[in-house]
Amino acid sequence: MGIYSTIGRGWQMGVVLLLLLASCKSTKIASDGTVDSKLTAKTIIRQHYQNQLEFKTISGKLKIEYSDGESAQGLSVSLRMEKDKAIWISAPLGLVKAYITPGRVSFYNKLQNEYFDGDFSYLSAILGTDLDFEQVQNLLLGQSIFDLTEGKYEAKINKDNYQLRPKKAVELFKILFQIEPKNFKMAAQRLSQPLKKRLLQVNYTNYQQVDKWILPNQIAVAAIDGEVRNTIDIEYRNIEFDQPLNFPYKIPKGFKEIVLNTDGL
């Protein structure tokens, strides 16, 4: 998939939360957390991918806060995932559950007696860009949503981070990545359509070390469409790796299906 062929359709309200990490083995550049002005964009990008993690499963808790500008909600959920295969999220008492695989996005809400069971068009509509399983997991775990090796970038220092911009401007879109220097994970990534007043902004507040793994501690996601602003704040808690997991999931009978209206996307 080309870096620019994945860029967006539309921007709508709603939230489904996904997690996963990709894996890679390689030699890493040691860093004390300070930027090195001598590093080229190619080196920064290479280290970003070389500093991905290797594991089989992840489990733990998520604290989630969501706001649409008029109302706000907070929720703690359980998380289970198997690398590249399945993501399972459950609210207390199973009131809300989500089950995501590379070919399926499914969730149900017992409070509203409704469910969605389909493909990634739902998430693409929410976040305003065509997404697949790998892109969503990268978005939420500190990796670039686009394949940085497929494009050419200019690197500069922005405060305490490395900043990457495409050398060739993308028509109607603006793309920016910031990579923190200690672990070469994303500090921020932004995709915007200025003429349509649309913005997807993801900020990674800090990172945590769990055993030998480095993963985000807090993530702030903002999706803006004109005057409408939706925000999602995520905090990871009690994360464990490589525990045996199962993924119980069944849509209750009698629930109303959520049908995604893609007109205008």
Side-chain angles (χ1 to χ4, degrees):
M1 180 180 295
I3 181 173
Y4 303 132
S5 63
T6 61
I7 298 178
R9 291 179 177 178
W11 305 67
Q12 295 184 356
M13 296 175 60
V15 175
V16 174
L17 298 170
L18 307 177
L19 281 179
L20 204 60
L21 289 169
S23 65
C24 183
K25 295 181 179 178
S26 188
T27 303
K28 302 175 179 64
I29 289 180
S31 174
D32 60 0
T34 59
V35 293
D36 182 352
S37 61
K38 297 180 181 180
L39 293 188
T40 64
K42 185 176 181 179
T43 299
I44 295 167
I45 290 170
R46 182 173 66 248
Q47 291 305 307
H48 174 64
Y49 287 108
Q50 289 177 347
N51 282 34
Q52 295 181 104
L53 306 179
E54 182 179 1
F55 66 93
K56 295 180 180 179
T57 66
I58 295 177
S59 59
K61 301 288 185 180
L62 300 180
K63 181 182 178 182
I64 302 167
E65 294 185 358
Y66 169 71
S67 173
D68 60 7
E70 296 182 357
S71 61
Q73 296 180 357
L75 187 67
S76 294
V77 301
S78 297
L79 165 72
R80 302 176 187 178
M81 67 184 75
E82 183 177 4
K83 177 180 173 289
D84 294 333
K85 294 183 178 181
I87 303 168
W88 179 95
I89 297 171
S90 179
L93 304 177
L95 294 178
V96 179
K97 276 190 178 183
Y99 181 64
I100 302 101
T101 65
R104 180 188 183 194
V105 173
S106 184
F107 66 90
Y108 64 79
N109 185 337
K110 289 185 177 180
L111 297 176
Q112 297 178 340
N113 292 334
E114 61 183 12
Y115 75 94
F116 177 84
D117 193 38
D119 58 24
F120 276 82
S121 59
Y122 187 88
L123 292 178
S124 297
I126 291 170
L127 296 177
T129 183
D130 290 332
L131 296 174
D132 58 23
F133 186 86
E134 182 179 7
Q135 288 174 310
V136 173
Q137 70 185 25
N138 287 346
L139 173 71
L140 296 180
L141 268 298
Q143 292 297 123
S144 171
I145 59 175
F146 297 137
D147 187 347
L148 298 179
T149 65
E150 293 187 358
K152 295 183 179 180
Y153 290 83
E154 296 178 340
K156 62 180 293 186
I157 305 301
N158 187 305
K159 296 182 180 180
D160 297 326
N161 298 313
Y162 300 109
Q163 181 171 290
L164 301 177
R165 290 183 183 271
K167 286 187 175 181
K168 183 178 180 181
V170 184
E171 186 177 2
L172 303 179
F173 286 87
K174 290 186 176 181
I175 301 171
L176 180 144
F177 300 99
Q178 289 191 13
I179 296 177
E180 52 85 22
K182 186 174 183 179
N183 305 297
F184 289 89
K185 308 289 284 184
M186 282 290 160
Q189 44 190 328
R190 180 191 305 164
L191 170 64
S192 65
Q193 293 176 281
L195 294 179
K196 295 186 177 181
K197 298 182 179 180
R198 292 172 174 172
L199 171 70
L200 174 63
Q201 174 81 33
V202 185
N203 293 328
Y204 301 86
T205 305
N206 52 58
Y207 284 83
Q208 60 180 308
Q209 181 169 348
V210 180
D211 297 328
K212 62 181 179 180
W213 291 277
I214 302 294
L215 70 160
N217 187 21
Q218 295 176 319
I219 302 176
V221 182
I224 299 174
D225 182 4
E227 301 301 321
V228 179
R229 177 186 178 92
N230 300 305
T231 62
I232 311 166
D233 293 325
I234 304 168
E235 182 179 350
Y236 303 103
R237 297 178 173 179
N238 303 322
I239 298 297
E240 295 183 323
F241 290 86
D242 296 340
Q243 300 296 315
L245 301 177
N246 55 26
F247 303 87
Y249 183 83
K250 184 178 181 180
I251 298 172
K253 294 182 179 180
F255 277 29
K256 181 180 179 180
E257 182 178 6
I258 298 172
V259 178
L260 177 63
N261 183 1
T262 59
D263 293 343
L265 295 183

